[in-house]
Amino acid sequence: MPLEAYERNGIWWARGRVSLNGRPVSAYIRRSTGASTEAGARDWIREAEEGAIRRHLLGEEAGLTFAEAVLLYPAKPAEARYLMKILPHLETRRVATIKPQEVRDLGPTIYPDAATDTWRRQVVAPISAVINHAHDLGKGPAIRIRGYSAQDRIDQDARRGKESRVEKTPADWNWIDAFTRAADPHNAALAEFMFETGARIGQAVALRPVDLDLQNARVQLPASKGHARQWVAISIEMVVRLANLPPKRPHDRKRNRRLEPRVFGYGTHTGMLGRWREICKAAEIAYLPPHSAGRHGFYTELRVRQGLDPITAARAGRWKDAALPDKIYAHSNLEETEIRAKIRSGRVQGDPNDAGKALKK
């Protein structure tokens, strides 16, 4: 029988098959339309019939909607949250008709006060992933979406009155020493561990006692950013610090239970942020978030202050691309006034007779 609407506990459902010229062209359907009125249910039925007939006549690729593509995609929790905000704008759209410019325009529509980096991460990236995953399954065309330009970023920053991509300040040993003097043993060890190993905060707080091999001076870091679990060497000083650090079982407030023991005593990477700020205030030092104090500080220390070559420094921090950390994680130690002074210093050190000879030539 053709699709028909019927009410069930205040919600309208649809049942039946989609037919074309008296012949069924879909499997039997029985599902909620999500509508609270009969008119809404009939709109849903009309869209379902159009999609089924289009797929029957033109093939799967022509009829796939964005909502159907989302159901095919194995979204991670963060991606699922982004897609929930995207769906109202593209839910019934056929994937084959979605244009790259339309996707870029959704950024300011959904997040008008966000930076272009947020638009790329929370709009462009998940939509691209959903559509291209459907393409990999042979159910739709692929899409390639150009990102936002530098001028787009400048214009959006001007509109929202806030600068994006503010350069991070890396920690140095003076900052680490001041922090550890004001901190409790667990946070002191955490800060020094990230600065020494370049570990991400999520990796550090996830460490369990079984991940420590102190006899061989190494720690097994959890998988992160496409890297598998791996052993990382640590200094003898860090071995001693961790050996004297009793593990703690963090409290999961949502489920009201104790988690398994953790080396640094935190259940999540957000659980320590408040305490981290308190320690910075007590130490009378500038607040640096864990990523700046750890990973940025680690690479700047090796690459800029110690002068280590980029290949070795990148390998030590577990970067696959040796050029990437120089672009993002290496920060100059010199203020701009010092740079100008260095330019002028050449004038003082140079031989004025040499300059005169060069001018005559």
Side-chain angles (χ1 to χ4, degrees):
M1 65 180 186
L3 273 178
E4 64 175 7
Y6 66 99
E7 188 180 5
R8 181 178 174 185
N9 298 327
I11 298 297
W12 285 81
W13 285 55
R15 63 188 173 193
R17 300 177 187 271
V18 177
S19 300
L20 178 63
N21 297 328
R23 186 164 62 91
V25 295
S26 77
Y28 187 82
I29 297 171
R30 177 182 289 168
R31 59 176 296 186
S32 170
T33 67
S36 59
T37 64
E38 184 177 3
R42 294 194 179 282
D43 288 341
W44 186 94
I45 289 174
R46 185 178 63 255
E47 292 170 359
E49 289 175 336
E50 290 174 355
I53 292 172
R54 190 164 45 243
R55 281 190 290 272
H56 173 72
L57 296 176
L58 303 177
E60 186 73 25
E61 182 171 313
L64 186 75
T65 66
F66 185 76
E68 291 169 336
V70 169
L71 292 176
L72 297 172
Y73 181 68
K76 297 177 181 177
E79 291 177 306
R81 290 194 294 271
Y82 303 152
L83 289 169
M84 289 299 293
K85 294 188 176 183
I86 294 169
L87 269 174
H89 301 272
L90 296 176
E91 185 172 8
T92 60
R93 286 289 305 280
R94 287 183 293 131
V95 167
T97 67
I98 297 175
K99 300 295 186 287
Q101 183 61 53
E102 179 182 5
V103 174
R104 284 195 296 272
D105 290 343
L106 276 180
T109 299
I110 301 175
Y111 304 101
D113 298 324
T116 55
D117 287 341
T118 301
W119 297 346
R120 176 187 54 78
R121 183 174 60 255
Q122 299 187 13
V123 178
V124 173
I127 292 176
S128 298
V130 166
I131 294 177
N132 289 328
H133 179 261
H135 171 70
D136 289 343
L137 298 176
K139 295 182 178 295
I143 193 170
R144 183 178 181 182
I145 306 172
R146 176 173 51 83
Y148 300 96
S149 67
Q151 190 60 50
D152 292 333
R153 176 170 56 83
I154 293 170
D155 293 342
Q156 175 62 6
D157 286 351
R159 278 190 291 270
R160 68 197 191 110
K162 184 179 181 181
E163 185 181 357
S164 60
R165 297 189 184 181
V166 177
E167 185 173 357
K168 291 180 172 60
T169 302
D172 56 19
W173 274 116
N174 289 331
W175 190 95
I176 292 294
D177 288 341
F179 182 93
T180 54
R181 284 195 296 269
D184 57 276
H186 285 81
N187 278 286
L190 173 61
E192 197 166 318
F193 176 81
M194 289 192 298
F195 187 80
E196 177 180 313
T197 63
R200 299 179 182 277
I201 179 62
Q203 293 177 300
V205 299
L207 284 178
R208 305 159 301 168
V210 295
D211 296 321
L212 305 183
D213 181 10
L214 300 184
Q215 286 189 335
N216 294 304
R218 62 178 189 168
V219 170
Q220 189 177 46
L221 289 181
S224 177
K225 295 283 186 177
H227 293 276
R229 295 181 67 89
Q230 57 185 300
W231 289 100
V232 174
I234 56 176
S235 66
I236 297 302
E237 292 82 359
M238 182 55 60
V239 169
V240 173
R241 186 180 279 278
L242 294 179
N244 289 284
L245 193 69
K248 294 197 301 185
R249 298 186 64 184
H251 181 224
D252 183 351
R253 292 186 175 87
K254 289 184 178 180
R255 299 174 180 82
N256 193 28
R257 62 186 179 88
R258 290 287 176 180
L259 301 177
E260 62 180 337
R262 301 289 178 89
V263 171
F264 299 111
Y266 290 106
T268 65
H269 70 277
T270 57
M272 42 72 66
L273 295 179
R275 176 61 180 147
W276 193 276
R277 287 184 180 275
E278 291 175 1
I279 295 170
C280 290
K281 185 176 181 180
E284 298 182 345
I285 54 178
Y287 169 74
L288 297 182
H291 196 63
S292 296
R295 201 148 171 83
H296 283 263
F298 163 83
Y299 191 79
T300 299
E301 179 67 26
L302 290 183
R303 184 78 179 95
V304 179
R305 303 187 190 109
Q306 303 297 334
L308 196 64
D309 68 273
I311 303 297
T312 305
R315 184 182 296 119
R318 299 164 299 286
W319 281 281
K320 292 180 180 178
D321 181 2
L324 175 65
D326 260 6
K327 295 178 182 177
I328 299 176
Y329 292 92
H331 303 271
S332 173
N333 278 339
L334 296 179
E335 297 291 340
E336 191 172 357
T337 53
E338 295 180 78
I339 296 173
R340 301 294 174 252
K342 282 186 173 293
I343 293 175
R344 289 285 179 177
S345 67
R347 186 179 189 182
V348 176
Q349 297 168 3
D351 186 343
N353 293 326
D354 291 344
K357 293 175 184 178
L359 287 174
K360 289 179 182 179
K361 290 182 181 178

